[in-house]
Amino acid sequence: MSNLHLITVLVEDKPGVLARVATMFARRGFNIHSLAVGPAEELELSRMTIVVDAPDVEQVIKQLQKLINTLKVVELSGTDAIEREVMLIRVNADTEQRSSVLDAAAVFKAKPVDVGATTITFEVVGDPQKLADFLELMRPYGVVSLVKSGRIALAREPKARNLRAIG
Amino acid sequence: MERISISQALIKALEFEGVEVMFGHPGGAILPAYDPLYDSKIRHVLARHEQGAGHMAEGYAQATGRVGVCIATSGPGATNLVTSLANAYMDSIPILAITGQVPTTAIGNDAFQEAHTWGITMPTTKHNYLVTDAAEIPDVIHEAFHLASTGRPGPVLVDLPKDILNTEVVWHDPTGIVDLPGYKPTTTGHPLQVKSAIELIQQSQRPVLYAGGGIIASGAHAELLTFAERANLPVVTTLMARGAFPDTHALHLGMPGMHGFYSAITAMQKSDLLIAIGARFDDRVTGDPSHFATGAKIIHVDIDPAEIGKIRKADVPIVGDARTVLRQLDERLAKVLGTGTAPTRTEWMETLSGWKSAHPISSYEQEPGGLLKPQYVIEELFKTTGGDAIVVAGVGQHQMWAAQLWKYTKPRTWINSGGAGTMGFAVPAAIGAKMGMPDENVWAIDGDGCFQMTMQEMICASTEGIPVKVLIINNHNLGMVRQWQRIFYNERFSASELTDHTPDYVKLAEAMGCAGFRAETAEEVAPVLEKANSINDRPVIVEARVDPDEMVFPMVPAGGSNDIVILSKDDLS
Ligand SMILES: Cc1ncc(C[n+]2csc(CCOP(=O)(O)OP(=O)(O)O)c2C)c(N)n1
């Protein structure tokens, strides 16, 4: 697990940029653990957040930089980054379990977004650890289905590092 | 304002870039572009296979230093180009490939001759384009030339849907400057790193300058000579750098690598400082990297930052163009030396010359009346040409002998497929080289196996009037495969034998419109080569029937340690 690295990549928003990045990863034998892409602050730019599984992250960064459509590549360490994932999770919650499930969810600020006869679906937003913990908590009730977004991340403002708890 | 078709704009854009020749093969999707080509001053050479067109563009680029251009139709035309693109990508050769594509409205529908060219070629090009906006054409071509020829050179592909080719636009000359926010190659080395490099060099007891193909790509051979002499540094030239430093120079140790010179391999292995310039620590040079030059510090100069630290960590990394950085290094050294001279390192230099004289490369015996030796034939070619030729090789034993035995003294006189090892490269690449350097004597040294992969391009050479010469080292075997089977597979020669006298190369030469000669004995070789050298009105094919059991030495088995160099057959047991 220690080979996981978090990278943000600023790219030109051109057709096929994602394919170029994915092809380069495949070609070089780097594994994508998670990937999220969306528009960045400027028009015509996109930002990718990639969690890569590779022993030599420097080579990954250099190969990304080598792509013609790549503007900037930054590796973020866990403490320098604000990281978020979204999870939708549907758990068994019949009448007997329902209140206990809801109590547990409340602790995690997981939001019930759909309630059926025997299940409840929650939306959870947070850093990867929070999502993992919530999943563990829900397992005993029975997880019916689950979907997670890729991770997104931004570097923290240098000044704000001491006030990390805010994030 | 005058409106012209995109096809006309394409040809105009190529003319604007100064293109004088393109190599290609037409077909449905690219036909619109072939129509204005009919009136253009750009010469089109009709390759008999698109792979040939690609290698011709590469040979042209490697002989001249200019961008080579090839053109093909959609689908199979484009896929036939893939081998050449992969080859150009591996060896950093600047070529532009133009391919036709089915109309934009048909893309994705499995239309006739549709292939996902853009996707297929993504990992084998420096960059590629699928043009969907007609107005972009002049700028895309300009950008493509810029990308192919600057930074670390490489192949660029432009895929053009047929409906786009038929669109009309108002021509505008491309704006001079290409501004790509994500592409700004660093050419000047960091002064502090240059300073550290010179410090390391001055302190080193056993330095070796490891010159790679980047020296030739950046035109840094003169700077290399100046610097190596001032710093008193022994030099090795890799397979891609033959000719970057004169073989005849006292500081030259030869070629390193799997079939390199003992002196070059061992000098690197025992050195305390390797100064790698435009080289990439290829596995054919390093052998097992964990056993490679373990006592050496590394100065690594390359224009591609990703090469630095990829295989071997650099103590002093310098991102920059080889020529610029060599000038910087030389300036710094001159300043540091003042009126003094570089360390003589007498002990190291004596050791090196000891290795050089104890283990010269040439270890074969040509007995009069005995089987013709391939090495002898290549040395005779060197003699009969006076070494004044551009040599283009295929892949295999003959390639290694051509790299070892010829004395290269100038850059761009040795052209081969190094990184990809593409059999079939020699004939078309020689045609491209001859197109670029028509006044030079261009000799392909090819294997019979390689020749059979792209020999139809000799028809292109004869009908287009491109008088290249081909020496086929015919051992009627896939010789290099046979060598490996002999050494590593207990002499089980599985599928490596080619038939002895089929085809008849002399008849074949004549059938293809070339002059054809054969040499079977040592005595016949020189006269036949003299005859070949005197013919300049058509291509020539010379077949030399040689001993199939000769092997290439020295040899470091793949993945082995460079400490163990097999010098001859006797070392095998
Ligand atoms: C396209 C391609 N296919 C297969 C190989 C593997 N290969 C390397 S050398 C060689 C034999 C070459 O035979 P020949 O051209 O006769 O040259 P020789 O080694 O006999 O000099 C082969 C098959 C290759 N390098 N390229």
Side-chain angles (χ1 to χ4, degrees), chain B residues 314-373:
Chain B
D315 298 276
V316 181
I318 305 182
V319 179
D321 170 60
R323 188 172 178 190
T324 313
V325 175
L326 272 163
R327 279 190 190 151
Q328 290 177 279
L329 287 168
D330 192 53
E331 268 169 34
R332 175 71 200 165
L333 179 65
K335 196 170 157 202
V336 168
L337 291 179
T339 53
T341 51
T344 49
R345 305 183 185 97
T346 320
E347 207 185 315
W348 179 233
M349 290 302 185
E350 274 169 10
T351 310
L352 295 177
S353 52
W355 287 335
K356 255 165 91 170
S357 49
H359 305 291
I361 200 75
S362 188
S363 60
Y364 69 94
E365 267 170 59
Q366 179 62 61
E367 285 162 21
L371 282 176
L372 186 55
K373 297 292 178 182

Side-chain angles (χ1 to χ4, degrees), chain B residues 198-437:
Chain B
I198 293 300
E199 271 164 29
L200 274 190
I201 291 171
Q202 286 296 87
Q203 287 159 13
S204 161
Q205 307 290 312
R206 300 185 307 281
V208 173
L209 196 152
Y210 160 26
I215 300 283
I216 292 174
S218 84
H221 49 281
E223 286 76 5
L224 174 63
L225 184 64
T226 308
F227 178 65
E229 285 182 343
R230 193 190 304 279
N232 191 30
L233 292 174
V235 178
V236 301
T237 51
T238 67
L239 183 65
M240 290 308 295
R242 305 292 289 123
F245 192 82
D247 280 349
T248 45
H249 198 288
L251 285 169
H252 197 240
L253 302 175
M255 174 175 80
M258 179 177 273
H259 294 296
F261 292 46
Y262 179 86
S263 46
I265 299 169
T266 310
M268 290 175 96
Q269 207 57 358
K270 305 281 183 217
S271 75
D272 66 357
L273 178 67
L274 282 179
I275 304 128
I277 307 185
R280 59 184 178 85
F281 294 83
D282 179 77
D283 55 274
R284 285 301 192 256
V285 166
T286 62
D288 176 357
S290 65
H291 286 105
F292 174 68
T294 46
K297 289 198 168 160
I298 308 288
I299 297 170
H300 196 169
V301 181
D302 207 290
I303 193 141
D304 179 359
E307 285 305 342
I308 300 178
K310 185 181 80 177
I311 305 292
R312 177 72 179 256
K313 200 181 151 312
D315 298 276
V316 181
I318 305 182
V319 179
D321 170 60
R323 188 172 178 190
T324 313
V325 175
L326 272 163
R327 279 190 190 151
Q328 290 177 279
L329 287 168
D330 192 53
E331 268 169 34
R332 175 71 200 165
L333 179 65
K335 196 170 157 202
V336 168
L337 291 179
T339 53
T341 51
T344 49
R345 305 183 185 97
T346 320
E347 207 185 315
W348 179 233
M349 290 302 185
E350 274 169 10
T351 310
L352 295 177
S353 52
W355 287 335
K356 255 165 91 170
S357 49
H359 305 291
I361 200 75
S362 188
S363 60
Y364 69 94
E365 267 170 59
Q366 179 62 61
E367 285 162 21
L371 282 176
L372 186 55
K373 297 292 178 182
Q375 301 96 319
Y376 174 81
V377 180
I378 292 170
E379 291 199 319
E380 284 302 291
L381 181 62
F382 180 78
K383 282 185 204 151
T384 57
T385 56
D388 187 14
I390 295 178
V391 178
V392 188
V395 172
Q397 293 182 309
H398 63 280
Q399 172 194 27
M400 291 300 120
W401 286 315
Q404 292 175 340
L405 300 170
W406 201 273
K407 294 261 173 281
Y408 298 95
T409 52
K410 283 185 290 185
R412 303 195 182 282
T413 56
W414 162 249
I415 295 172
N416 87 136
S417 166
T422 310
M423 283 175 73
F425 177 78
V427 167
I431 293 171
K434 184 75 183 170
M435 280 304 296
M437 303 297 268

Side-chain angles (χ1 to χ4, degrees), chain B residues 395-398 401 421-423 447-451 453 473 475 477-481 498:
Chain B
V395 172
Q397 293 182 309
H398 63 280
W401 286 315
T422 310
M423 283 175 73
D448 48 326
C450 290
F451 184 76
M453 282 209 179
I473 302 293
N475 52 13
N477 273 280
L478 300 170
M480 190 56 97
V481 172
L498 299 164

Side-chain angles (χ1 to χ4, degrees), chain B residues 89-265:
Chain B
Y89 191 53
M90 274 290 203
D91 286 349
S92 308
I93 310 171
I95 64 167
L96 170 66
I98 295 162
T99 48
Q101 182 53 277
V102 301
T104 46
T105 47
I107 288 180
N109 291 342
D110 305 308
F112 178 64
Q113 291 193 329
E114 180 181 1
H116 181 32
T117 304
W118 182 71
I120 290 171
T121 61
M122 203 178 273
T124 56
T125 52
K126 181 170 173 181
H127 196 60
N128 63 5
Y129 298 84
L130 170 63
V131 179
T132 50
D133 177 1
E136 286 180 351
I137 268 293
D139 291 323
V140 164
I141 295 295
H142 192 54
E143 214 174 275
F145 264 82
H146 178 72
L147 284 175
S149 58
T150 58
R152 178 177 183 172
V156 177
L157 178 137
V158 179
D159 199 25
L160 294 165
K162 190 168 186 178
D163 54 335
I164 298 282
L165 282 169
N166 286 327
T167 318
E168 289 198 336
V169 282
V170 176
W171 169 261
H172 65 272
D173 278 357
T175 47
I177 316 127
V178 181
D179 183 30
L180 294 163
Y183 180 73
K184 311 247 182 259
T186 305
T187 53
T188 308
H190 195 291
L192 286 179
Q193 299 294 77
V194 169
K195 205 173 147 214
S196 315
I198 293 300
E199 271 164 29
L200 274 190
I201 291 171
Q202 286 296 87
Q203 287 159 13
S204 161
Q205 307 290 312
R206 300 185 307 281
V208 173
L209 196 152
Y210 160 26
I215 300 283
I216 292 174
S218 84
H221 49 281
E223 286 76 5
L224 174 63
L225 184 64
T226 308
F227 178 65
E229 285 182 343
R230 193 190 304 279
N232 191 30
L233 292 174
V235 178
V236 301
T237 51
T238 67
L239 183 65
M240 290 308 295
R242 305 292 289 123
F245 192 82
D247 280 349
T248 45
H249 198 288
L251 285 169
H252 197 240
L253 302 175
M255 174 175 80
M258 179 177 273
H259 294 296
F261 292 46
Y262 179 86
S263 46
I265 299 169

